Amino acid sequence: MSAPTLHTAHTAPTADAAHTADAGHTARTADAVERARDAAERESWAEAYALLHAHDLHPSRALTADDLSVLADAAWWSGHIDESVTARLRAHAAFLAAGDHRGAGLAAWWLHYEYRSLGRPAAAAGWLHRSRHHLEDQPPCPEQCFLAWTDAEEAEQHGDRAAALAAARRMTRLALRSASPDLVALSRQAESAVLLANGRRTEALALLDDAMCAVTAGELSGVFTGWLYCLALTQCMEAADFGRAVEWTNAAMEWCAPPWTGRPAETGRESEPASLTTPAAMAVASGENPFRGVCRAHRVEVLDLLGTWALAEEEARQACREVPVDCLESAAAAFYAAGDVQRRQGRLDEAAVSYAHAHELGRIPQPGLALLRLAQGRADAAVAGVDLALACQSDPRHDLLGRARLLAARTEVALAVRDVPGASKAARELDALAGDVPLLRATADTALGAVALAEARSGPALRLLRQALAGWLELRVPYEAAQVRMLLAAADRTVGDEEAARLELAAARTVFERLGAVPDARRAAALLSGGKRRRLPGGLTAREAEVLRLVAGGGTNKDIAQALVISEHTVSRHLNNIFAKLGVGSRAAATAYAYAHDLV
């Protein structure tokens, strides 16, 4: 484009010059809009936003309904959410004025989506009603796919799985008729989600694989690529499909990596602050991929399982900075995962803060918080927390991995307070839930093996724990594998195989030390010492440790007095000292502390 003609302040243009200037102005205006359309086509959203935003500042330069839709999209991708909504409202009005009900219906659906994301359900419901009004009487068209998608989600939320499947399949038919790769891939994912909720795992994952082929091949537009990565990663983790979660998390982070242009880019990682960002400080930077923080939060969960804890905590910190304000549940997941890392490394105060942030953002921080309370010797709080979380899970099939983790924690907590029947009940439910899903199977076998060990059934305990260890090793999940080795060592010792026990303990200690799991590493080292004199935890004396062991074994004050040949008054005095030193207030809490610190 040639440079515009310049006029000095004191020279009045002739009529011909004025006409020429108007023509040049119109040409420049049209050229700017064309360049914005071209930028949007290339998904260069920052460029499209800058051009259309500048053009739109002049009231005389009216944008068409389609251009207003592009402005709304560009504003959303550029982090200007309020401007996106405003432009979408104007686009809807422009489509309506032109009698374009399909365009108006799609704009109304997008307004429903944006208002829902912004936490304005009444406005979202109103725009969804308008979208239906515009589109339901139309012949079959691509825009109706979005209504069918919403119908499937709403039916699923109300527990009407037949209606959900019918809506998802209606979406698929409309998408295939449209021949839009975006809509076809999204419809495959929607149908997959409904089938998975119905327990039809094989069919569901086949459809999801089909959809994700289009994503990873770069066949889809940016928003559909982002949607499908987020939906598929959530779906994989809830279904405990760890292999797919690892593969697609890596692909998602490549797609999101800066500098972002809407297409795959080289990976890179920015420097992060020294501590996790608090919820009040979170905001997505203008021009960044809005899906980046959400995808990174999913990556944190994967890194946590893989035992890459230092990187997981760094990525959690970064995710909390990047997550948009309309996706705070992803930031909550990142805080929760960081809390799990901190808890297992013995950084209990930091873990408590991370769990509190997750709770502040709307996530129930269980079972991590219950296991934290157990590590602190607060067994009553641990039992209450995990039981409440299990009771609050309205549909266990919706999040298999979440349910499995709660049941595994319930088993661990119950064993710590010597509630073997309660542990057995939780482990049996976990076994029924697991089926042949590798991650769930390893979790269930671990719980069943621990219960069998507590019931002094050495043969079944060894079989189940060896099976669990093989599962964790195949999945390459090191922390849980090391925990199983600790249980195997105990089982080996019950059958007199001291050499096997020491091999398991040594292997577990190596993993714990590499991960930075300090309390577990110390416990493994203490067991390896074979009963050599060691410093007792909590400042306990040898006599107080004896009393605590008998308490943990279920002894009353009278039983303990008889066993140690001391008075019941002396037992009471020892118990008061033990409670004070350990910071606990009950025998159950003291028992939990004894088991957590390997005093029994």
Side-chain angles (χ1 to χ4, degrees):
M1 181 177 68
S2 59
T5 303
L6 297 178
H7 301 283
T8 61
H10 61 273
T11 304
T14 63
D16 287 342
H19 176 76
T20 302
D22 287 342
H25 168 76
T26 301
R28 289 194 302 274
T29 297
D31 185 65
V33 173
E34 284 299 323
R35 284 190 291 126
R37 292 170 183 165
D38 176 68
E41 185 69 23
R42 291 182 282 108
E43 296 192 338
S44 182
W45 295 112
E47 180 185 352
Y49 171 75
L51 289 165
L52 289 176
H53 179 73
H55 176 87
D56 198 45
L57 291 175
H58 300 275
S60 61
R61 302 178 184 178
L63 290 171
T64 66
D66 286 329
D67 290 333
L68 286 167
S69 295
V70 172
L71 175 59
D73 291 342
W76 185 84
W77 281 104
S78 302
H80 305 286
I81 305 299
D82 290 342
E83 290 183 50
S84 173
V85 172
T86 300
R88 195 82 64 189
L89 288 166
R90 292 169 60 198
H92 174 266
F95 281 123
L96 196 58
D100 183 351
H101 284 277
R102 285 175 54 182
L106 183 57
W109 186 90
W110 273 108
L111 285 164
H112 146 73
Y113 175 83
E114 291 189 277
Y115 277 124
R116 185 182 65 179
S117 299
L118 291 169
R120 298 182 57 186
W127 282 104
L128 181 60
H129 178 77
R130 283 199 177 187
S131 182
R132 295 190 194 283
H133 174 74
H134 290 305
L135 295 173
E136 283 183 338
D137 292 334
Q138 296 291 316
C141 59
E143 292 81 2
Q144 292 169 346
C145 280
F146 295 95
L147 288 181
W149 187 27
T150 303
D151 290 342
E153 288 186 333
E154 290 184 344
E156 185 67 36
Q157 288 167 3
H158 290 101
D160 190 344
R161 293 208 164 97
L165 187 57
R169 288 180 169 165
R170 184 168 74 253
M171 180 184 179
T172 299
R173 290 193 298 271
L174 289 165
L176 291 170
R177 183 187 182 109
S178 75
S180 162
D182 283 343
L183 292 175
V184 170
L186 186 63
S187 70
R188 298 276 191 236
Q189 188 283 326
E191 190 172 343
S192 168
V194 176
L195 288 172
L196 196 59
N198 280 319
R200 296 161 65 175
R201 187 182 181 91
T202 302
E203 295 173 73
L205 293 177
L207 280 173
L208 187 60
D209 286 343
D210 186 305
M212 294 308 291
C213 277
V215 174
T216 55
E219 297 171 3
L220 309 185
S221 66
V223 71
F224 284 81
T225 297
W227 269 347
L228 282 161
Y229 271 130
C230 292
L231 292 167
L233 290 173
T234 299
Q235 195 170 331
C236 286
M237 290 306 293
E238 290 180 349
D241 193 325
F242 189 51
R244 284 179 173 84
V246 172
E247 181 178 343
W248 292 338
T249 297
N250 291 336
M253 291 312 298
E254 272 193 42
W255 177 69
C256 291
W260 187 79
T261 60
R263 303 296 180 189
E266 295 298 320
T267 57
R269 190 168 73 249
E270 300 171 359
S271 60
E272 291 113 359
S275 60
L276 284 171
T277 308
T278 60
M282 293 185 301
V284 65
S286 175
E288 286 187 359
N289 185 336
F291 293 104
R292 184 175 167 192
V294 178
C295 291
R296 197 184 298 278
H298 285 296
R299 188 184 187 215
V300 171
E301 295 183 83
V302 169
L303 292 172
D304 179 26
L305 279 169
L306 291 174
T308 316
W309 287 356
L311 182 57
E313 196 170 356
E314 290 177 6
E315 292 286 80
R317 191 177 298 124
Q318 188 69 5
C320 292
R321 294 179 57 200
E322 294 171 346
V323 166
V325 293
D326 56 349
C327 296
L328 293 184
E329 67 277 5
S330 296
F335 275 117
Y336 178 82
D340 276 353
V341 170
Q342 292 155 350
R343 170 178 55 79
R344 288 174 295 189
Q345 289 186 330
R347 299 153 55 195
L348 303 188
D349 290 342
E350 293 176 66
V353 171
S354 293
Y355 290 143
H357 285 329
H359 183 265
E360 182 182 344
L361 292 171
R363 176 174 180 140
I364 297 175
Q366 295 290 4
L369 185 60
L371 297 174
L372 173 65
R373 297 303 180 225
L374 187 62
Q376 294 170 328
R378 299 172 57 186
D380 293 344
V383 171
V386 76
D387 281 351
L388 181 60
L390 282 165
C392 288
Q393 201 175 35
S394 57
D395 186 358
R397 291 175 297 179
H398 176 67
D399 184 2
L400 292 177
L401 183 57
R403 183 75 178 182
R405 284 171 163 166
L406 286 170
L407 289 169
R410 182 66 181 89
T411 304
E412 183 177 346
V413 170
L415 289 175
V417 298
R418 307 296 289 168
D419 178 14
V420 178
S424 179
K425 179 182 177 183
R428 288 196 306 272
E429 183 183 341
L430 180 51
D431 183 39
L433 183 77
D436 59 357
V437 180
L439 185 60
L440 300 183
R441 187 72 264 151
T443 304
D445 287 341
T446 301
L448 291 167
V451 170
L453 184 60
E455 293 172 339
R457 295 186 294 117
S458 301
L462 284 167
R463 177 181 58 80
L464 287 162
L465 292 171
R466 285 171 181 157
Q467 189 171 302
L469 178 60
W472 290 121
L473 291 175
E474 186 173 351
L475 288 165
R476 299 184 181 181
V477 177
Y479 180 76
E480 281 73 9
Q483 289 281 36
V484 171
R485 288 189 186 278
M486 298 289 286
L487 292 169
L488 268 172
D492 287 332
R493 279 181 168 167
T494 61
V495 297
D497 193 344
E498 182 63 29
E499 183 178 5
R502 293 183 68 79
L503 286 172
E504 297 293 1
L505 289 170
R509 182 178 65 176
T510 298
V511 172
F512 291 143
E513 288 175 347
R514 176 173 60 80
L515 293 173
V518 176
D520 292 301
R522 287 175 178 167
R523 186 161 60 97
L527 290 170
L528 269 171
S529 70
K532 293 178 184 177
R533 185 175 181 84
R534 63 185 174 94
R535 185 178 178 182
L536 294 169
L540 296 174
T541 66
R543 175 61 86 180
E544 287 166 350
E546 284 184 288
V547 171
L548 182 55
R549 289 188 190 100
L550 292 169
V551 168
T556 64
N557 284 15
K558 183 177 180 180
D559 296 333
I560 296 168
Q562 290 175 346
L564 298 180
V565 195
I566 56 178
S567 69
E568 289 187 49
H569 174 75
T570 302
V571 173
S572 296
R573 180 169 53 80
H574 283 314
L575 280 177
N576 287 335
N577 291 338
I578 290 167
F579 288 176
K581 288 181 178 181
L582 303 186
V584 299
S586 67
R587 299 172 83 94
T591 298
Y593 184 95
Y595 275 89
H597 292 80
D598 216 37
L599 291 172
V600 180

